[in-house]
Amino acid sequence: MNKPASVPGQFDAVVVGAGFSGLYMLYRLRQLGLSVKVFDSAGDVGGTWYWNRYPGARCDIPTTDYAYSFDPDLEQEWTWSEKYATQPEILDYLRFVTDRHGLRSDIEFSTTVTSARWDEQEERWRITTDARKELRCRYYIMATGCLSVPKSPDIDGASRFAGRVYFTSRWPHEGADFTGQRVAVIGTGSSGIQSIPLIARQASQLTVFQRTANFSIPAHNGPASAERLKQLDEDREGYRHDARWSRGGIPLEPTDILGVTASESVRRERFEAAWAQGELFGILNVFADQGLNPASNDIVAEMIREKIRSIVTDPGAAEALSPKDHYFGTKRPCLDTGYFETFNLPHVRLVDLRKQPIVSVTEEGIDTADESFAFDALVYATGFDAMTGPLVAVDVAGRDGVSLREKWASGPSTYLGLMTAGFPNFFMLTGPGSPSVLSNMTVSIEQHVEWVTGCLKDLREAGFETIEPTALAESGWNQHVQDCAAITLHPTANSWYMGANVPGKPRFFLPYIGGVNAYRQACDDVVSQGYLGFRMTGPGGTRCRDGVIRRMQPDVAMVMELVAAMGLPPVDTLSAADARALMAAMAQTRPPGPEVGEVTDGVITGPGGDLPYRLYRPAGPPEGPRPLVVYFHGGGWVLGDLDSDDPLCRDLCARSGALVVSVNYRHAPEARFPAAALDAFAAVQWVDAHAAELGGIPGQLAVAGWSAGGNVATVACQLARDAGGPYLAGQVLICPVVDSDMTRLSYQENGEGYILTTALMRWFWDHYADPADRGDRRAAPLRGNLPGLPPTCIVAADFDPLRDEGVAYARALEAAGVSVRLARARGHTHTSVTMVGVVISGAPVRAEIAEALRNFFPNAAPQEPPS
Ligand SMILES: Cc1cc2nc3c(=O)[nH]c(=O)nc-3n(C[C@H](O)[C@H](O)[C@H](O)COP(=O)(O)OP(=O)(O)OC[C@H]3O[C@@H](n4cnc5c(N)ncnc54)[C@H](O)[C@@H]3O)c2cc1C
């Protein structure tokens, strides 16, 4: 039983919403011994499943998984009748849970919370409802759902229609009988796709108005999967554990098969298996790269379009029903029962609003640009103001009266999707910035409820009364959420995930796409690091450990995990020969880099013998000579060759439009300092002298290099300046070694665990240069004479031991009057920016490098970036 309010109208917690989230939150808060009041606008519990009573409404996550897991007895007592339960059955389930735990007594139904204001003096929230009731609470928890505010139909004349009007999200409890009626359904998202086949069974005429064709696969509903039931029977706790630590909230082995490299038979087999299975996460897991790579995505998309064409007999309708304006999965794919087949019925017609837009709703029906339609009933299946809609629908005001609407005017800002700075003790369940709608929501809901419960318990035990995130932690999380989205195809779609379905809503990727497992880990890490990024206050004082929980780019983190799992020996424990063999073997497995027009190999005569070079010529126009870039590979003066940096050179060439001449140089320990530097200078002289022959524009020459290659590139620049030539238009130094001082902060922060380690740098230096030589400006160019050097672009990566020397070089060059562009590779390691085709988040950095190169050569032709 709930603890009664100690003071009338004053509760420990107010929860808004009595769906899956609110009910479980109430249950947990009671266990903590808090007094709680729950409000819901609905007349009963159920949330989504109370409101969405349209024909065909079902879950699209199998009910074996779309259910609470916190109560093992409940799991035994409730048996679902189907693989995908109907709305009435899910509503019954939620009522059953409510009654089983006696939750109803604390819930006030048919009551809408209209405002919530933080009272600074009392350190409590003042809550107002539409019944003009005011109460106060310490903790304000919005369990208001992601899909609970219907989007109003933005169609002219919507109120003029004289017949019956239905909204799928506000379906009448008595149901609707369309027998013998002329019905219009507007919208073909999930609700439209579920309801259309059933409405067609009754209606005498059904016209479906479609703005965007959506991907849908057959649900193949029926009994629950025997395999899943067996897994659950054998080890229920293990199954639920796997769900909690999975990407989507259902146990599933993510495939590592890439669509772009799989054979045609493997592609077909995997797709057909997913089609036959009829599960959302199955069809999203045909290929590992389908959410990232347009070419892979198109393989799945085209196979679905093929299926649509094979089902729908009218080729015109089939074409209109085949989605082509977004990548598969970037809008929520639907599961259907006979949706496409419905369009073969003689009384069903599809109107493609792209060709024939609605002009207005009339008294009789709908006028499009070409036709007037008469109807008895209109059904709006037009979706929701997703995720943020329900939160900003309440007038929430935090510290200094700042409203949530104002704070989020250009997009939501949260820490972990749970809280937002300036709004103490205000929690959101499945808020923006958490996996929510991209996951099996019951798993995400339980995780949020349990996190909030743990947090309130910890707060009380430590004697704190308020908690709120810091601005730093919040902006770090927002950045991470957007970084995760940026490497996927999602931001390209006009989806409700992007807020694009609501006119005027800021374009912003709302949920967290890094996965339920990664997200849970982040939430757990925040707690284990003493509530990192939260400020807690109480009578005993304030505690705040400020910081950012995830700074690494998500794909860099994935590569790091993969490398760690390979269990490779540290390079600094190997001989130079073994280290070279290991690097060469690793290079075999990576993607080749973009196509360029031509690649030719040649040889330069250097001071100590022949130096092989590889020339990359960009594809396409303009014909004729191009600027030249002499490039030096990385590898600590010990490792690397023309092959090691081949994908990067292709990328630089394709992006910059310049000819790239990658030159190998003598390596240590066979040829120690200053061999590499002297070779680099000789190579620059040679390329300058042979520019025309190589197809370059004489006098338009720059140097570039990564890591130790950056070292020899900039040494060559210094030597060229001192020698009075060749003239160099610029230098690009990617994570360069510019000093031998290993005491900088970035060595302390990043000296271990990010591939290039302090131990490895020491190994490189030991192979390359005697300690006495390490201060020489040809080894440590930061200590050289800097005025008169050409314009410079330096890339400094966050997780690189060399970060701070790169930054120091940039500052020193600037102080010497050199024009410098410092490109911060945010969330990157020493190596990740160069991993072309593997680390997608490196592409913007390489685009910046290419732009810097183009700026060195003002007359160079503009270049299309590689796809
Ligand atoms: C048709 C449909 C099918 C779905 N199928 C699936 C599925 O298969 N799998 C899945 O994971 N997810 C599915 N979802 C998402 C679904 O919303 C969640 O799974 C889950 O039901 C959300 O529960 P909730 O308690 O967080 O929010 P909701 O169920 O949306 O409940 C929120 C409640 O808050 C109330 N409320 C909001 N604002 C206020 C206010 N100011 N004052 C008072 N009350 C307020 C609302 O009335 C509502 O009852 C589906 C959604 C829809 C619309």
Side-chain angles (χ1 to χ4, degrees), residues 34-62:
L34 301 187
S35 59
V36 190
K37 184 59 137 187
V38 180
F39 292 105
D40 201 307
S41 317
D44 197 5
V45 298
T48 291
W49 306 104
Y50 173 89
W51 296 109
N52 292 268
R53 297 167 186 247
Y54 58 85
R58 290 176 186 273
C59 54
D60 60 8
I61 296 288

Side-chain angles (χ1 to χ4, degrees), residues 304-345:
I304 298 178
R305 288 190 285 259
E306 240 175 53
K307 291 281 188 193
I308 297 171
R309 288 193 289 267
S310 76
I311 298 169
V312 180
T313 48
D314 170 12
E319 203 46 35
L321 286 163
S322 297
K324 285 178 237 55
D325 71 342
H326 62 280
Y327 291 111
F328 174 65
T330 56
K331 292 188 171 200
R332 191 179 178 88
C334 304
L335 295 188
D336 71 88
T337 302
Y339 173 65
F340 292 114
E341 289 82 346
T342 302
F343 292 93
N344 293 336
L345 299 172

Side-chain angles (χ1 to χ4, degrees), residues 7 33 48 281 369 389 402 439 468 522 554 560 594 659 707 738 781 787 806 833 839 851:
V7 178
T48 291
F281 290 138
V402 172
S439 65
E468 92 186 80
M560 298 288 297
L659 296 170
S707 192
V738 286
V833 169
V839 173
E851 191 190 294

Side-chain angles (χ1 to χ4, degrees), residues 699-839:
Q700 290 212 6
L701 180 65
V703 294
W706 166 52
S707 192
N711 173 280
V712 298
T714 195
V715 171
C717 260
Q718 295 193 12
L719 295 177
R721 178 209 46 202
D722 296 347
Y727 164 76
L728 290 169
Q731 54 174 344
V732 164
L733 312 174
I734 306 168
C735 307
V737 189
V738 286
D739 199 9
S740 48
D741 174 3
M742 292 166 69
T743 61
R744 289 192 170 83
L745 182 65
S746 54
Y747 264 100
Q748 289 161 41
E749 287 180 354
N750 306 320
E752 257 182 72
Y754 302 109
I755 298 179
L756 178 64
T757 61
T758 303
L760 183 55
M761 268 318 291
R762 198 166 288 126
W763 187 85
F764 284 141
W765 276 114
D766 289 346
H767 278 77
Y768 183 49
D770 291 341
D773 289 330
R774 292 181 197 174
D776 188 299
R777 67 188 178 96
R778 291 167 304 167
L782 174 60
R783 304 181 194 189
N785 183 24
L786 305 184
L789 288 178
T792 302
C793 170
I794 295 184
V795 177
D798 280 352
F799 294 94
D800 184 358
L802 307 183
R803 179 194 66 203
D804 290 353
E805 64 195 71
V807 174
Y809 197 42
R811 300 279 174 262
L813 284 164
E814 258 168 2
V818 176
S819 152
V820 178
R821 175 177 189 150
L822 179 61
R824 290 288 193 163
R826 193 176 44 72
H828 280 275
T829 62
H830 182 73
T831 46
S832 58
V833 169
T834 68
M835 293 180 160
V836 176
V838 177
V839 173

Side-chain angles (χ1 to χ4, degrees), residues 146-219:
C146 294
L147 302 170
S148 58
V149 169
K151 204 190 107 183
S152 52
D154 42 345
I155 304 176
D156 265 5
S159 59
R160 281 160 55 193
F161 184 63
R164 295 290 307 263
V165 176
Y166 300 89
F167 291 85
T168 50
S169 52
R170 292 289 180 269
W171 205 258
H173 288 206
E174 65 280 9
D177 183 3
F178 296 114
T179 308
Q181 295 194 4
R182 296 161 305 169
V183 183
V185 175
I186 302 162
T188 52
S190 186
S191 303
I193 283 178
Q194 285 187 331
S195 60
I196 283 165
L198 291 170
I199 295 175
R201 281 194 202 163
Q202 293 184 334
S204 62
Q205 221 184 74
L206 172 62
T207 309
V208 175
F209 291 88
Q210 171 192 277
R211 191 176 57 186
T212 309
N214 263 306
F215 289 100
S216 184
I217 66 162

